[in-house]
């Protein structure tokens, strides 16, 4: 009987150690990434789509501090002008704080690289917005992608 109890205690200790190690590795990964944001709350039912790209596409984030993160799933909401990434470790969608980003890019389903950069806008509804870079050089051509949606009646 004492051998069984000792065996169970050792087994439980092994599982606890393995679980703590996995959590430690996850937090090390997330602390190295430095992505700050909030949990994504799904939009109400609309006619149309609030997203520039319907699916998460592999892309790159460019932060103000010079850090670049490549190979993460991104989706741009042109309805709320926010970038959402899929955190595979937590199995959740995160809305990235716009103020921490310089820009982002992803390759769409047609193989075209889409580059967006954050820029202050001083026209109607002042503030920081993401603009798609259509042409960059001495003179840049930027496009602001905005979607207006109507709610669906139940």
């Amino acid at each position: 009987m004492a051998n069984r109890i000792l065996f169970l205690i050792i087994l439980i200790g092994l599982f606890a150690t393995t679980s703590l190690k996995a959590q430690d590795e996850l937090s090390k990964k997330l602390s190295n990434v430095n992505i700050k944001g909030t949990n994504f709350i799904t939009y109400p039912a609309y006619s149309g789509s609030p997203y520039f790209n319907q699916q998460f596409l592999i892309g790159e984030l460019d932060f103000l501090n010079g850090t670049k993160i490549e190979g993460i799933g991104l989706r741009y909401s042109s309805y709320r002008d926010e970038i959402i990434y899929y955190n595979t470790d937590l199995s959740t969608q995160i809305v990235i704080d716009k103020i921490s980003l310089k820009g982002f890019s992803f390759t769409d389903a047609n193989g075209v690289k889409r580059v967006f950069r954050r820029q202050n806008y001083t026209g109607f509804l002042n503030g920081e917005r993401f603009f798609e870079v259509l042409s960059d050089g001495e003179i840049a051509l930027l496009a602001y992608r905005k979607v207006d949606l109507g709610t669906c009646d139940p």
Side-chain angles (χ1 to χ4, degrees):
M1 182 71 169
N3 287 340
R4 287 183 186 177
I5 293 173
L6 183 60
F7 176 74
L8 284 175
I9 291 173
I10 291 172
L11 189 63
I12 291 171
L14 255 164
F15 284 134
T17 305
T18 306
S19 175
L20 287 174
K21 185 176 179 185
Q23 288 177 359
D24 187 43
E25 288 174 9
L26 175 62
S27 35
K28 280 181 187 175
K29 261 185 173 180
L30 291 177
S31 67
N32 289 339
V33 171
N34 291 330
I35 298 177
K36 294 180 179 146
T38 58
N39 281 337
F40 174 73
I41 299 170
T42 54
Y43 301 130
Y46 290 109
S47 58
S49 174
Y51 303 106
F52 181 77
N53 49 311
Q54 300 306 312
Q55 300 159 343
F56 284 92
L57 300 173
I58 300 301
E60 175 182 306
L61 296 172
D62 189 11
F63 289 91
L64 284 176
N65 65 6
T67 306
K68 287 190 179 196
I69 299 172
E70 300 175 346
I72 62 173
L74 299 175
R75 182 163 60 174
Y76 175 58
S77 169
S78 48
Y79 175 65
R80 289 202 178 141
D81 192 37
E82 56 192 16
I83 186 71
I84 304 161
Y85 94 97
Y86 186 75
N87 186 317
T88 54
D89 295 328
L90 300 175
S91 296
T92 188
Q93 298 178 40
I94 307 290
V95 177
I96 301 171
D97 289 340
K98 185 184 289 188
I99 201 70
S100 67
L101 287 177
K102 187 180 194 180
F104 64 91
S105 63
F106 55 81
T107 304
D108 67 14
N110 298 326
V112 177
K113 185 172 183 177
R114 304 289 192 132
V115 178
F116 290 78
R117 72 176 174 215
R118 183 178 61 91
Q119 197 163 314
N120 192 25
Y121 180 73
T122 57
F124 181 69
L125 296 173
N126 295 340
E128 299 288 328
R129 296 185 181 176
F130 289 119
F131 290 88
E132 183 178 10
V133 180
L134 301 177
S135 175
D136 206 6
E138 190 174 321
I139 297 176
L141 180 59
L142 306 175
Y144 177 60
R145 306 293 186 181
K146 179 70 178 160
V147 173
D148 291 321
L149 301 172
T151 56
C152 294
D153 294 328

